Structures are given as C-alpha cells and as structure tokens.
Amino acid sequence: MPSRGSSSSQTVTIDGRRLRLTNPDKVLYPASGTTKAEVISYYVAVADRLLPHASGRPVTRKRWPDGVGQGTGGGSGPRADGGTGGGSGPRAEKESEVFFEKNLPDSAPDWVRRVVVRHKSHVNVYPLVDGPAALAWLGQVAALELHVPQWRVEADGTPRHPDRLVLDLDPGPGTGLAECVEVAHAARELLADVGLEAFPVTSGSKGLHLYAHLGGEHDADYVNAFARQVAAALQDELPDLVVSSMKKSLREGRVLVDWSQNNQAKTTIAPYSLRGRAAAEGEGPFVAAPRSWDELGPDLRHLTMEEVLERDDDPLEGLDPQSTSGDEAPAAAPDRLTVYRSMRDASRTPEPVPAEAPTERGDDPVFVVQEHHATRLHYDVRLEREGVLVSWAVPKGPPTDPGRNHLAVPTEDHPMEYAAFEGTIPKGEYGAGQVSIWDHGTYTLEKWKEGEVIAVLHGSEGGGLGGSVRFALIRTGENWLMHRMDPAAVPDPPAEDAPATDAEADEPEGTAVDLLPTVAPMLASRPDGLDPHRDADAWAFEMKWDGVRVVATCDGASVRLVGRSGKDVTATYPEVAESLAGLHLDDAVVDGEVVALDDDGAPSFGRIQQRIGLVRPRDVASARKAVPVRYVAFDLLRLGGSDVTGLPYVQRRELLEGLDLDDADMVDVPAAFEGDLDAALASSRQLGLEGVVAKRRSSRYRPGSRSAHWVKLKLEDHVEVVVVGWRPGRGGRTGGIGSLLVAVPDETGALRYAGRVGTGFDARTLGDLARRLEPLRREQPTVETPRDVAREAVWTEPDLVGEVTAAGWTDSGHLRHPVWRGLRTDKTADDVEPVATHRPAPS
C-alpha cells in the first residue's frame, strides 16, 4: 500500500478551476492497480453523463483515504439526514478506514458549491456537484462512492418534492442478477401501466436499481408510500420470487424490492458513481452503470470502470428531462441569480445578495472590472446583460497587446449592485479576499452571440483601461479568451472553429496536465432543438455506429489502440492493429469505432461486449474466432507528424479518404452524406442502425470535448399497429385501460405480437379506446403472447388500427419505447403493411 505521506503533487486546471492533486499515483484499488489519477480521470470523463443525475442534489460521500480493502465495501447506503442506512449515527461514521462524510470539509476549494440543509435535529453543509472540477476534487479526496437523495434542493437548502422514484432490487441468499432481471421486467410493466417509464441501473454491488421520472407534484411521504404499494404489487404478482418486507428471515431465495430509498432521509448510489470494490484480479472497479432494457437478459453482469468508459450513450437520458411539458411544472423557478445566491450567505458577506429576480434597465449598459485579491490575484470582467452582470475571471487582467490573448474563465452571473461593490469578503466565504474597482463605465455592444462578444468599453478617467478600448471575448473549447482589438482597423476575431492562438502561453502555470497520456476523442451532443434540415448544406451526416470508441496511433508497422477511457486496448483487438499496421501509415492518428456485426451485418453492442476487457492471449484468440471485429474510421487527428485537428471537418475527411484505409482487411471508411439528412436517415434505418451523427462541415476537432458541432440524431419510427388487447390499469388508471397490446403483420401477412403501449394517452383518448374496444372482447388471443403479458390481458378482435412512434425494435422483435399517436380510422387491419424489424422474431 503506498504511503499516505507521499509528497508528490501537481496542479491542474479542469473546466476552468485550479485543483491541486496530491499523490496521483496512489493505488486506491489494489486488485486492479487503479490509481487516484485514474479515478479522477474517470469522473472527469463521465461528467457529462453523471451530472444530469446528481446536480442539485446534496452529495454524501463514502471515502477510502487508504484505498479499498481497508474496511468494508458493502452495507446500507447513507441517509440524507446525516445517519446511515441502518439507523442514526454521526455524520462521519468510521468503518475502519472507510467512512461516510456529509459536511463539506474546510479544506475544500472555495469554488465547490455548497448548500445548507436543515434536518429535523441538526444541520449539514453538503457539497453540490455542478461540474467536472467538483467531481475531480471528490476523486482527489478518495470519495469513491457518491450517494444522493431522490430530491433536489432550493438555493436556501429547502428540499424540493422528489423528481424521481427508485426501486432497489436486492437479491437475497440463493438469488442473483438473473432473478433481479425477471423482477425488473415485471416492475417495468407495472410502472408502465401507471404511465411511468422505468430505467434500469446495475448497482455495481449486488442488484439492480430501477428509476422513474416524477413531475414533482407529491412530497416524499407520498412517493415513499406509492413505492411501497408498487413493491407489494410485485410481491403479489411474483410471490415465489419477490419480498417487500425488510425482514431478513423472509429473503432466502427471493429478491427484496426495497422501496424505502424514497424516504426523504435516504440516499442511493448515484448513477455512474464508482463502487468501493473491484472486479476480479486485474479488472477495474465496478460502477453503478445505467443499462438499456435490451441488455437485461439472463447473462447480465455488473460493469467495470473501463467498460462504462467505452460506452458512448447514456441509457438514462430520458430520466432527468431538462424541461417539463403538459401540466407538469418545474419544482422551482430559478432566475439568473440562483447560482450566485446559493454560493453566498447574506448574513456573513458584505456582497449584495438581492432576493428579487433581476430586471432589465433602460439605460446604457454598464461594465466593471474588479481587482480581486482572493487565493490568487485575478481580475473580474463584468458586462451588464438582461438585468445581471455576466462575468468572467481573467487571471492576467484585460490584455494590453492585440497580439496576446488572455485566458477568461466564465463565472456565475452577478447582481447589478455588484458594479459598485468594493470591500473585503470574509475568510471562509466564497471568494474570500479584497475586492476593489479597477475600472468601470458604460459599453457599446457590437455583437453578442453564443461563444462571441464584441464591445467597446468606455473606461472612467484614471481607470485601468486608460479610456475607450475595444475587446472581444471568444469561446475556445471549454474556456474563453479575451482579445484586445484595434479600434481603427478591426480584424475578424478568431473563428469558433479556428485553433486558439497564444492560449497556452497565457494560461497560468500548471493548467495543462493530462491525467492520462492519451488523445481523448471528441464527443457528440444531443440536438437540443437543432434542426439540421434547416441548414443541411452546412452539415455532413455519418452513420451512428453501435460499438467501442477507439483512437488509433499509427507509425509505420507500430500501432497503438486507445479506448475512450485512456486504456490501451491494442491487445484486445489485435486484428484491427494488424490491419492498420499493414498500411504503414506515417505518424498518423485516426479516430473511429470498433464494431462487431450480427448475422444481418448490423453492429451489435451485445456482441462487442464479448470482446471488451479481454487481454489474456488465450481469451482474445478464442473470442477473435467467435466474434470478429472491424474498425470503422471516421476522422483524422494527425498525419505525417502534423496536427490536423485545427482543419475543418471537410478537409480532414478528404485527407482520411486519401489514405485508402479500406485497403486493410478489417478497416472501413464509410461515406458521409453531405447535405442530405433524409438520405442518411433512410440508410441508417435500412442498415438497422440507431441513427446518424451530424457534423458541421466547418468544425475543427476538439479532443475530449462534447461539442454542439457534432450532434446525435436518433431514428424514430412511425409504425402502424393492430390492437389485439389491453391490460387493466393501476393507480390513476384503475378501472380503465393501463396499456394496449399491439401486433404487426410479418412478411407473410400473419400478425405477431409487437409489445405494449403505455404512454401517449390522455384521459379522453383512453375513454374513447375503452368504448371502442369493449364490444370487441374475445376469450382467446389472436397472436402468441409472452406468458407474463397474457396473465392479466383482456383480448379483443384485431379490428382497430393505430399509429405509434418508437425508437426501433428490441432483439425479441418488440417495439422499443413505443408512444401512442392515435387511431387510424381510415384503415383496417388488412391495410397495415408488413413490418421488417431487422431483428429476429420471437420464438
């Protein structure tokens, strides 16, 4: 075990925040040799997937300062009120060298957001995880497990109503994940009957967690009682497999459906959190890993850190929607100063902390530059915009030379009153130190758009600017640059897609330390309202491959393959390395995806999983014969020793296609569709793929960044279906239809079962369907149906035709996430065309 007294340290900048890392080489997981640096790198890499499910929730940490193995790794989760899952206790209850920690320690960086939560008998000051830097700090203090409640907090620490429900499927003696899977599918159907979509997560410990999104209408007591009813209903449905009581004597051979984690005082391991236990010798730590329903089969197993890093999409993407619709309202209505207020205590700091929401003034906009002697001297540049001061921290102050740009780090919006603030922020408060006004005045705005601001700042007499000066603030990747412009002959500011000049020279020391020595791939974002149809000529469209992301570094016959996690996977996919080596590329770096094809020639993540993580030559050789893989190359980062990431996408593609990688046996360079999204989507659907990735033709390659210049566009099928029955509703749908049972004709014209549709209905639609279906009742089904579906089904004549949207088809030939669109009264069952699912039909 490495000594805790080691003095090795380094300072890094992550997401604009400086963090001192100590003992980065300390081994925290002895079984796998996983170091603190690798833990930190993992949390930074999954930040975009973890944060939507943890942000705004007070975080309780389970820490292993000396690494796992120095204490137990199991046990109940901590309580959000300061105790442990097994009863009340102190805020940091030791388990040898393992302990839960609630309060934020004094040693935490001042930029870590905090919130004061008042429990019934005491008060805790929790951290809030709001960015990659906060996750990196948690890794630095060996907080391996992150536990959060099912509710978020207001800025003043008041708990909101729960916005999600969780069921913990905990296997008792004699049971395991296979039994949890059976219970999970039953729970999914039961929740669908009341209009809730379930999302599975393998806990990384023993069992499964099932989440469902809630609208925030009910308090924790109501949700906890409802969860208890769900658990009881599952016990009634599967009495030989499920138990809902906590009594240990009843758990032999059964799965406990633990509903109690919906109690306001309880927490659950956060999705994507590491676990304090490693897999077998040589394998990395386990993770609380979100899974797709297609993965929930009898061979389900827990995933390790490396396996999670190889996965690109978030199966929990729909659990925490960014906005609500219909009658659902957000649990709170934050304004532009919510973050600012949450970081300050008005009773302890002289800074202005207004309670009212900001309002716009009608006067000329103002600016202020403040000299801030905090932990390190820096300058805060603030511009009035929409009733607040939009702010950047500029370590070296506004640049005086147009030829040298200065790093600018965006910070939270400040109130307008801050434009006149000078004083001392007390020690222990956020931003502690002396603040004075360096210059202030009004400004003339020339441009304000996403990623670029151009304005002339009219400084005061005797101010630091020395008069009126023209500046541009330009976003380059995660941070910004401040650029002084010549007012007489103004050059165009650096384009969004051009390399940032002089950025490295002007960054503070210690800001460019890679946690792992590898090229991190660029990632695609969600559409967020983007419509590439509207500006199709500006985009190229590539297929979305369901495989493992791998960056290949090639230099003659030497080839190194590195996964998204930063792990060398050359030995895992030797056929890809051998194929690329045969091309004798000169100092080139290629980005792509390793895929395993199914019998229909479509990439199958289920098949590629059989190759992930294999390193022993015998295992690799055996799997290579059973599951061959190919490398799909789609971008070029380096060629002939020259960095080409700063070139536009179209030029990088030309260079990539000029390498003739297709000449290699196991390598493909699929063509991109330029300006024709419909053709690309049609091709993706024909190939049985998930969708396409839209890439701006002008975009440069940004290693390690998730950019809006690459956008994932998933397919959504419109499918005509025949209604063959329904299942009675529960909860709010008791006495009516809970879900429809639907079928589609196969290639021979015979109907086959296609799944259940439980969402997309309002009360009027359900009432109309009930009236139409009641006269069509029949005793026996017209299609072969899974036994668990048939148990409570009410069968009907196959006369009604409807239309649903779906995200494709499951391996069992059922619609994936179907949503009801409406009846097709203009059609009969004979008019419905046969459906090709690209999947094997159920036996």
Side-chain angles (χ1 to χ4, degrees):
M1 182 68 63
S3 169
R4 294 184 64 183
S6 174
S7 61
S8 63
S9 67
Q10 57 181 308
T11 299
V12 299
T13 293
I14 299 173
D15 198 31
R17 304 295 192 184
R18 288 174 58 82
L19 177 64
R20 182 170 176 267
L21 306 182
T22 59
N23 305 321
D25 296 328
K26 175 187 283 186
V27 174
L28 295 182
Y29 292 86
S32 60
T34 303
T35 65
K36 180 191 287 188
E38 290 172 314
V39 166
I40 295 172
S41 182
Y42 166 79
Y43 272 127
V44 172
V46 299
D48 60 308
R49 288 175 280 173
L50 187 155
L51 290 172
H53 314 304
S55 62
R57 305 180 195 274
V59 180
T60 296
R61 292 85 64 208
K62 193 172 184 181
R63 294 179 56 192
W64 280 261
D66 286 318
V68 301
Q70 304 300 311
T72 62
S76 301
R79 293 162 56 100
D81 63 358
T84 65
S88 61
R91 71 168 182 85
E93 186 168 319
K94 290 265 185 176
E95 299 178 61
S96 180
E97 291 300 317
V98 184
F99 58 92
F100 285 119
E101 186 173 53
K102 316 295 178 185
N103 285 320
L104 191 67
D106 293 339
S107 59
D110 58 7
W111 45 259
V112 174
R113 288 185 59 198
R114 58 210 69 199
V115 64
V116 178
V117 179
R118 292 168 175 80
H119 300 293
K120 291 181 179 179
S121 60
H122 60 281
V123 174
N124 287 117
V125 181
Y126 293 93
L128 292 177
V129 178
D130 62 353
L135 289 171
W137 170 72
L138 291 170
Q140 155 61 24
V141 297
L144 303 181
E145 291 190 3
L146 314 180
H147 296 255
V148 294
Q150 315 317 321
W151 40 269
R152 290 184 163 94
V153 292
E154 302 284 5
D156 63 1
T158 303
R160 302 177 184 176
H161 285 173
D163 56 7
R164 66 189 189 196
L165 171 143
V166 65
L167 298 176
D168 179 6
L169 309 186
D170 188 3
T175 63
L177 271 181
E179 288 76 18
C180 289
V181 166
E182 186 176 348
V183 176
H185 283 287
R188 181 192 188 190
E189 294 190 0
L190 192 153
L191 291 171
D193 284 343
V194 295
L196 296 178
E197 182 180 0
F199 296 84
V201 174
T202 44
S203 70
S205 178
K206 292 191 296 182
L208 273 169
H209 295 156
L210 293 181
Y211 288 94
H213 172 68
L214 302 177
E217 302 95 339
H218 302 294
D219 62 19
D221 289 342
Y222 179 98
V223 174
N224 198 48
F226 171 73
R228 187 172 189 171
Q229 291 175 347
V230 172
L234 285 169
Q235 181 174 320
D236 290 342
E237 184 172 342
L238 301 169
D240 296 331
L241 185 59
V242 172
V243 60
S244 60
S245 170
M246 303 295 173
K247 292 182 179 180
K248 291 186 178 180
S249 60
L250 301 176
R251 297 184 57 188
E252 181 79 31
R254 289 179 172 84
V255 174
L256 169 65
V257 179
D258 183 358
W259 45 268
S260 68
Q261 294 187 36
N262 299 280
N263 186 303
Q264 184 165 310
K266 293 291 191 71
T267 62
T268 307
I269 189 84
Y272 292 105
S273 171
L274 293 173
R275 278 292 195 175
R277 59 188 287 260
E281 188 75 21
E283 298 181 20
F286 282 120
V287 174
R291 313 298 288 268
S292 69
W293 282 104
D294 285 350
E295 294 179 86
L296 262 65
D299 298 326
L300 183 70
R301 59 180 177 81
H302 295 287
L303 296 183
T304 64
M305 180 178 80
E306 290 81 5
E307 291 172 315
V308 169
L309 287 171
E310 300 295 352
R311 300 159 71 94
D312 189 29
D313 288 343
D314 179 15
L316 284 186
E317 201 169 47
L319 175 62
D320 289 287
Q322 298 300 307
S323 61
T324 56
S325 58
D327 296 329
E328 295 181 1
D335 59 47
R336 292 283 296 270
L337 296 179
T338 295
V339 174
Y340 174 90
R341 294 190 198 96
S342 72
M343 301 168 74
R344 290 162 176 84
D345 183 347
S347 67
R348 291 179 54 84
T349 179
E351 300 166 282
V353 187
E356 297 294 326
T359 57
E360 294 192 57
R361 307 179 312 120
D363 301 331
D364 291 338
V366 302
F367 83 91
V368 66
V369 179
Q370 287 160 320
E371 187 174 326
H372 192 170
H373 292 265
T375 305
R376 172 178 286 189
L377 170 65
H378 65 274
Y379 294 80
D380 294 310
V381 177
R382 313 190 195 279
L383 306 181
E384 178 182 355
R385 182 75 169 175
E386 298 177 350
V388 298
L389 294 172
V390 180
S391 303
W392 292 262
V394 184
K396 294 190 175 182
T400 58
D401 180 358
R404 294 188 64 82
N405 302 325
H406 285 182
L407 178 71
V409 180
T411 62
E412 73 276 8
D413 295 336
H414 281 53
M416 287 300 304
E417 294 88 340
Y418 218 96
F421 173 68
E422 290 186 299
T424 301
I425 302 172
K427 185 177 181 180
E429 296 302 299
Y430 175 77
Q434 180 68 35
V435 177
S436 59
I437 294 178
W438 186 75
D439 206 342
H440 71 285
T442 61
Y443 73 89
T444 302
L445 180 65
E446 296 185 13
K447 180 185 292 187
W448 194 304
K449 67 177 186 178
E450 183 178 358
E452 183 180 0
V453 177
I454 300 177
V456 178
L457 308 188
H458 306 293
S460 59
E461 185 175 351
L465 290 177
S468 296
V469 184
R470 194 177 188 205
F471 287 104
L473 284 152
I474 308 153
R475 186 175 62 199
T476 59
E478 296 297 324
N479 282 314
W480 294 59
L481 297 176
M482 192 170 188
H483 170 68
R484 185 178 181 120
M485 306 178 73
D486 184 346
V490 181
D492 290 334
E496 157 85 309
D497 293 312
T501 59
D502 293 331
E504 290 186 5
D506 286 290
E507 289 184 354
E509 292 182 5
T511 61
V513 178
D514 288 333
L515 295 174
L516 290 176
T518 179
V519 178
M522 181 173 172
L523 304 175
S525 63
R526 289 179 290 179
D528 290 335
L530 177 71
D531 182 10
H533 280 99
R534 189 173 53 198
D535 189 21
D537 290 341
W539 298 83
F541 305 100
E542 299 178 2
M543 297 297 102
K544 188 176 186 300
W545 304 101
D546 197 7
V548 174
R549 193 71 173 274
V550 169
V551 174
T553 300
C554 310
D555 192 7
S558 175
V559 174
R560 179 177 181 236
L561 306 179
V562 177
R564 181 178 166 184
S565 64
K567 182 178 180 180
D568 191 316
V569 294
T570 311
T572 303
Y573 309 111
E575 60 265 63
V576 172
E578 292 164 5
S579 291
L580 289 170
L583 296 172
H584 293 277
L585 299 176
D586 178 24
D587 197 358
V589 178
V590 181
D591 187 8
E593 200 140 346
V594 175
V595 299
L597 306 182
D598 62 18
D599 294 338
D600 296 325
S604 167
F605 194 78
R607 298 203 74 192
I608 193 66
Q609 277 189 308
Q610 300 175 49
R611 294 289 301 268
I612 293 175
L614 298 181
V615 292
R616 296 174 181 171
R618 180 182 300 177
D619 295 339
V620 172
S622 176
R624 180 175 177 175
K625 294 179 180 178
V627 186
V629 297
R630 301 188 65 81
Y631 187 59
V632 178
F634 48 67
D635 215 319
L636 187 65
L637 286 65
R638 188 176 180 86
L639 180 62
S642 298
D643 182 356
V644 298
T645 58
L647 296 179
Y649 164 84
V650 289
Q651 292 184 26
R652 299 197 311 274
R653 281 290 303 196
E654 288 178 2
L655 293 173
L656 178 69
E657 291 167 1
L659 294 177
D660 295 326
L661 298 183
D662 297 90
D663 291 346
D665 292 338
M666 298 296 177
V667 183
D668 300 301
V669 184
F673 291 77
E674 297 193 0
D676 195 340
L677 175 56
D678 291 329
L681 289 171
S683 179
S684 180
R685 181 176 286 107
Q686 183 179 6
L687 293 171
L689 303 179
E690 292 183 349
V692 301
V693 178
K695 299 182 178 180
R696 277 200 176 275
R697 291 163 54 83
S698 62
S699 63
R700 67 184 180 94
Y701 192 99
R702 296 174 175 168
S705 296
R706 188 175 292 279
S707 171
H709 289 231
W710 285 14
V711 179
K712 297 178 290 188
L713 300 171
K714 293 188 177 182
L715 288 171
E716 183 181 75
D717 289 334
H718 285 214
V719 183
E720 291 179 355
V721 296
V722 179
V723 180
V724 294
W726 79 82
R727 281 176 56 122
R730 295 187 176 94
R733 294 184 182 177
T734 299
I737 295 174
S739 58
L740 295 177
L741 309 180
V742 299
V744 295
D746 61 18
E747 289 77 0
T748 69
L751 288 177
R752 62 174 181 79
Y753 178 69
R756 301 168 54 237
V757 185
T759 58
F761 307 107
D762 55 24
R764 173 181 290 182
T765 300
L766 288 171
D768 179 56
L769 286 168
R771 286 189 294 273
R772 292 174 181 268
L773 290 173
E774 186 64 34
L776 300 178
R777 279 181 181 250
R778 57 177 291 155
E779 291 298 321
Q780 299 297 323
T782 55
V783 295
E784 184 178 348
T785 313
R787 185 173 58 185
D788 58 337
V789 174
R791 187 180 297 117
E792 297 183 18
V794 178
W795 303 111
T796 67
E797 297 292 340
D799 289 350
L800 288 186
V801 175
E803 187 172 292
V804 301
T805 58
W809 299 84
T810 69
D811 289 337
S812 56
H814 298 166
L815 292 160
R816 180 182 285 115
H817 308 317
V819 178
W820 184 256
R821 298 192 73 225
L823 283 171
R824 293 298 304 264
T825 55
D826 59 325
K827 293 194 174 187
T828 68
D830 292 336
D831 297 323
V832 178
E833 296 182 0
V835 175
T837 67
H838 303 290
R839 301 289 185 188
S843 57

